[in-house]
Amino acid sequence: MARRRKGDAVNGWICLDKPYDLTSTHAVSRVRRAFNAQKAGHAGTLDPLATGILPIALGEATKTVPYLVDADKAYRFTIAWGRTTATYDREGEVTAQSDVRPSVAQVEAVLPRFVGEISQVPPAYSAIKVDGERAYDLARAGETVELAARIVTIHSARVAEAPDADHVTLEIECGKGTYVRAIARDLAEMLGACGHVSDLRRTRVGGFTEQSAVTLEFLEDLGHKARQSELLLPVETALDDIPELAVTAEDAFRLKQGRSIVLVPRQVESVKARLKPGSRTVSAMAGGMVVALCEMRAGRLEPSRVFHLDKSGD
């Protein structure tokens, strides 16, 4: 017999407002403990020095994590002029200093170069693996780390404010794999200045925004009152850009068994009109809940991820 999982069968998402100086892994552990959940995971690591949106999946929601990892993200961050550090944030050792203080006009003049598909070299202090080792571990050990440039997409970039001559705050919307610290590094170099990220906040991950975010303290306080489930978001929250298709109870049963279902022509046309370019993924829904994530092929839905949800288990 399979060993029974410890904890409760809790299914859904928590949009956590991660506090400063807490690792993403530790944040997941605290949320899981607050719910006594059997299973938990997060969608997209947030550095300990960063605050903001960290979506945490519980139970069946963990099956949707890959779809959220690829989602667009938004950041608000402050560059402090005058010093460059090894990590390009305030915790790193100072590697260079300069008296150059770029003006807002100068920053705004070069920002368009950072919008669109751009080539970006990730910082040496990053989680990218080099020969099986994390780049930041190699860098901390004193080894020279050379990472290859990669193409990332930045949808928008703007100056939000400049509180004084030593700081400028930017807001960006970007695709996956974008490093804010690399933007600060490259922007400073382009302007002949030294700079590093002094403050970083993630304000959005896909459909998870600050408006739906909760703090750990609030979550744990509700947990003491056995009311933490009030904060759970539905499993399908992570699938906001995947078209939904309502299916019958009979078809839902077939999908849950891993069998494909046949669509009528009008269903095929309806789904095709809503699919993202290059995607075949459809979210099959029954009774207001996601039944399965499917691939649409030749007029059929073939289940790729099946969900086991019920009204009592959410």
Side-chain angles (χ1 to χ4, degrees):
M1 290 180 62
R3 193 167 66 180
R4 183 180 176 84
R5 282 184 179 273
K6 292 183 178 179
D8 300 327
V10 181
N11 303 307
W13 283 92
I14 287 294
C15 182
L16 184 70
D17 189 338
K18 189 190 82 66
Y20 172 80
D21 207 19
L22 184 73
T23 68
S24 296
T25 300
H26 191 191
V28 170
S29 296
R30 287 178 62 175
V31 170
R32 181 178 182 178
R33 191 159 54 245
F35 282 90
N36 188 36
Q38 292 177 352
K39 191 176 182 181
H42 65 76
T45 300
L46 200 55
D47 289 343
L49 302 181
T51 64
I53 305 303
L54 180 66
I56 295 180
L58 299 171
E60 291 290 279
T62 57
K63 295 177 180 178
T64 67
V65 165
Y67 298 89
L68 195 59
V69 168
D70 290 341
D72 287 342
K73 301 171 179 65
Y75 296 91
R76 181 184 176 94
F77 62 100
T78 299
I79 299 175
W81 303 118
R83 295 183 297 129
T84 298
T85 68
T87 55
Y88 304 112
D89 60 33
R90 65 185 180 188
E91 294 294 303
E93 179 183 350
V94 176
T95 58
Q97 299 189 63
S98 169
D99 293 330
V100 176
R101 299 293 187 270
S103 66
V104 170
Q106 288 175 312
V107 174
E108 289 179 333
V110 299
L111 267 186
R113 303 187 200 177
F114 291 85
V115 177
E117 287 192 351
I118 66 170
S119 177
Q120 185 184 76
V121 177
Y125 286 83
S126 63
I128 294 172
K129 286 192 175 182
V130 180
D131 297 328
E133 299 285 338
R134 297 290 186 186
Y136 55 66
D137 288 331
L138 298 174
R140 287 169 185 156
E143 295 190 31
T144 300
V145 179
E146 294 185 2
L147 299 175
R150 54 180 61 188
I151 300 298
V152 299
T153 301
I154 299 179
H155 303 297
S156 65
R158 61 178 288 270
V159 174
E161 63 176 345
D164 53 52
D166 293 324
H167 300 86
V168 65
T169 299
L170 306 179
E171 291 179 343
I172 67 166
E173 297 218 356
C174 59
K176 67 174 183 176
T178 304
Y179 281 90
V180 168
R181 288 176 293 132
I183 293 175
R185 174 199 66 202
D186 297 342
L187 184 63
E189 289 180 1
M190 198 173 289
L191 294 169
C194 289
H196 64 275
V197 175
S198 61
D199 186 72
L200 172 61
R201 180 170 178 79
R202 188 159 66 191
T203 56
R204 182 175 69 84
V205 177
F208 293 82
T209 66
E210 291 179 297
Q211 286 67 42
S212 57
V214 296
T215 64
L216 270 174
E217 290 73 19
F218 185 62
L219 171 63
E220 291 172 338
D221 181 57
L222 281 190
H224 296 319
K225 303 171 184 175
R227 293 174 50 201
Q228 67 272 40
S229 61
E230 296 174 15
L231 303 177
L232 270 179
L233 299 173
V235 169
E236 55 269 20
T237 306
L239 309 173
D240 66 332
D241 61 346
I242 295 176
E244 296 181 356
L245 180 67
V247 299
T248 65
E250 182 181 350
D251 281 343
F253 181 74
R254 288 180 62 88
L255 290 172
K256 286 185 176 183
Q257 290 185 317
R259 295 187 290 166
S260 64
I261 62 172
V262 178
L263 302 181
V264 298
R266 61 178 175 78
Q267 289 177 309
V268 173
E269 293 307 312
S270 172
V271 171
K272 278 185 176 180
R274 292 177 287 139
L275 283 174
K276 293 177 69 175
S279 174
R280 296 173 177 269
T281 305
V282 179
S283 179
M285 306 287 294
M289 291 183 289
V290 61
V291 173
L293 284 170
C294 309
E295 296 296 301
M296 190 172 77
R297 301 181 188 278
R300 304 176 71 90
L301 284 189
E302 300 176 0
S304 54
R305 290 178 185 268
V306 175
F307 298 89
H308 301 285
L309 303 169
D310 56 62
K311 294 295 182 184
S312 61
D314 277 5

